[in-house]
Amino acid sequence: MTVYGSFPGARPRRLRTTPAMRRMVAETRLHAADLILPAFVREGIDAPVPLAAMPGVVQHTLDTIRKAAVEAVAAGVSGIMLFGVPEDAKKDAAGTAGTDPDGILQRAIRAVRSETGEDLVVMSDLCLDEYTDHGHCGVLTPDGRVDNDATLERYAEMARVQADAGVHTVGPSGMMDGQIGVIREALDTVGKEDVSVLAYTAKYSSAFYGPFREAVGSSLRGDRKTYQQDPANVRESLRELALDLEEGADMVMVKPAGPYLDILARVAGEVDVPVCAYQISGEYAMIEAAAEKGWIDRDAAILESLTGIKRAGAGMILTYWATEVAGKLAR
């Protein structure tokens, strides 16, 4: 009893008294198996190249990506999403390096598969932007617009060469209309029915992609607003979701994660397939930069951000901290 009266059964703080109590009643639990490591593999280098805008992240060689994959497995990470970074001289208008069976991404897939076998889900970015001299996610018309249907033909070819290299899952990130159905058909017709498709269902035209463009050596001129989604829209994401599922997506993704937790929650409430979210380069860079300034507690902020993404409905999270966080969760 206090001067304000009694509070029978109305003291929620009883369940916050100790770390053990808080851990016991936690409603959301982050696991190493929830995490997927995005990784960049660059052609023509003999040592990893650090990324200025993403402290702690590098462009790997074929040798160091093998080591990174082994470390991810040891930490309990479930998957790795590979991005290829070709030599500038190999970029062209059609992104042909992306469909070269001996291209950097295909070599990286083979390298990681040979090192980790079935212990790690090997995923690949299926998009042309790293390989085109104009930096767009598709081939262009003579007047400079992205040609949706011509691009789909290139995606079908990319799917086949990535599957031949041994990828478990392809991640079409270009936001072309009809891409999931075309890729699914392309895989099935060459006997790759077991290769799964992770649809970038709600991929927004975001200001938070900046550091990623350094990571992949982007040649982008202009922007991608005519094919990536408008940040103002919600219903559009749900329409994209329905189309991707109809076309055969095995898993769906929301990207970015942190600024779009409302979208993530809506998507998770609509589907019966696994839901993924991508904590992108700008989200990573903000926390690292603020921590470097001493403005926030780095480790606590990382875990809080990831817990929030899972709480909003993500069963899987792509994060550049995957191996680090997984190792800490195991302790």
Side-chain angles (χ1 to χ4, degrees):
M1 177 73 71
T2 73
V3 295
Y4 300 106
S6 62
F7 301 93
R11 290 188 183 270
R13 287 182 56 192
R14 292 184 184 120
L15 301 184
R16 304 170 194 157
T17 52
T18 67
M21 178 67 78
R22 294 191 294 273
R23 184 171 63 248
M24 184 178 74
V25 301
E27 298 173 31
T28 303
R29 300 182 190 277
L30 193 65
H31 300 282
D34 301 332
L35 305 178
I36 299 166
L37 176 68
F40 308 101
V41 187
R42 180 174 168 182
E43 192 170 31
I45 58 173
D46 55 15
V49 177
L51 298 174
M54 299 177 69
V57 178
V58 302
Q59 294 170 323
H60 285 283
T61 69
L62 286 171
D63 286 335
T64 63
I65 193 60
R66 290 173 180 268
K67 180 181 177 184
V70 169
E71 290 172 350
V73 171
V77 171
S78 286
I80 188 167
M81 176 66 80
L82 297 173
F83 296 85
V85 185
E87 295 177 294
D88 285 344
K90 293 186 179 179
K91 295 182 179 182
D92 59 25
T96 54
T99 50
D100 179 354
D102 198 39
I104 184 59
L105 180 53
Q106 283 65 253
R107 282 184 281 156
I109 293 167
R110 289 193 291 268
V112 174
R113 278 299 308 271
S114 69
E115 199 70 38
T116 62
E118 306 299 338
D119 293 335
L120 189 67
V121 179
V122 179
M123 303 175 167
S124 55
D125 180 57
L126 199 163
C127 194
L128 289 172
D129 61 315
E130 295 99 323
Y131 310 99
T132 55
D133 54 12
H134 47 73
H136 279 287
C137 297
V139 296
L140 303 183
T141 62
D143 62 357
R145 294 179 297 110
V146 175
D147 187 326
N148 190 96
D149 294 3
T151 297
L152 294 181
E153 295 182 17
R154 301 286 296 122
Y155 286 0
E157 188 176 354
M158 290 188 83
R160 289 189 288 266
V161 298
Q162 291 177 5
D164 285 342
V167 79
H168 293 107
T169 301
V170 294
S173 60
M175 291 302 290
M176 296 297 118
D177 293 341
Q179 63 183 16
I180 302 303
V182 166
I183 289 166
R184 182 72 270 161
E185 182 178 3
L187 291 168
D188 291 350
T189 56
V190 294
K192 300 294 184 180
E193 297 91 348
D194 289 343
V195 175
S196 55
V197 179
L198 169 58
Y200 281 60
T201 291
K203 182 179 179 182
Y204 283 89
S205 180
S206 173
F208 293 94
Y209 293 138
F212 178 89
R213 294 188 178 147
E214 175 196 353
V216 297
S218 176
S219 303
L220 181 65
R221 299 190 293 269
D223 58 50
R224 299 182 174 130
K225 294 182 184 296
T226 62
Y227 46 102
Q228 293 179 351
Q229 289 179 230
D230 187 333
N233 294 348
V234 177
R235 288 191 300 271
E236 183 179 28
S237 292
L238 300 180
R239 186 183 185 200
E240 293 276 8
L241 174 64
L243 291 168
D244 283 351
L245 293 174
E246 182 181 341
E247 292 173 24
D250 299 291
M251 299 170 277
V252 296
M253 182 195 292
V254 174
K255 179 182 179 182
Y260 295 91
L261 295 180
D262 60 323
I263 307 299
L264 176 57
R266 290 286 296 271
V267 168
E270 294 276 339
V271 302
D272 57 3
V273 300
V275 177
C276 185
Y278 195 150
Q279 185 181 53
I280 66 170
S281 60
E283 298 174 73
Y284 176 96
M286 286 192 301
I287 290 177
E288 289 286 354
E292 191 275 330
K293 292 283 190 180
W295 294 340
I296 60 172
D297 180 323
R298 176 185 180 274
D299 291 354
I302 291 169
L303 284 175
E304 184 176 340
S305 67
L306 291 170
T307 300
I309 294 166
K310 185 167 184 185
R311 188 183 64 242
M316 305 171 293
I317 305 171
L318 278 84
T319 176
Y320 299 98
W321 290 301
T323 301
E324 175 187 343
V325 170
K328 290 176 179 177
L329 292 172
R331 293 200 289 269

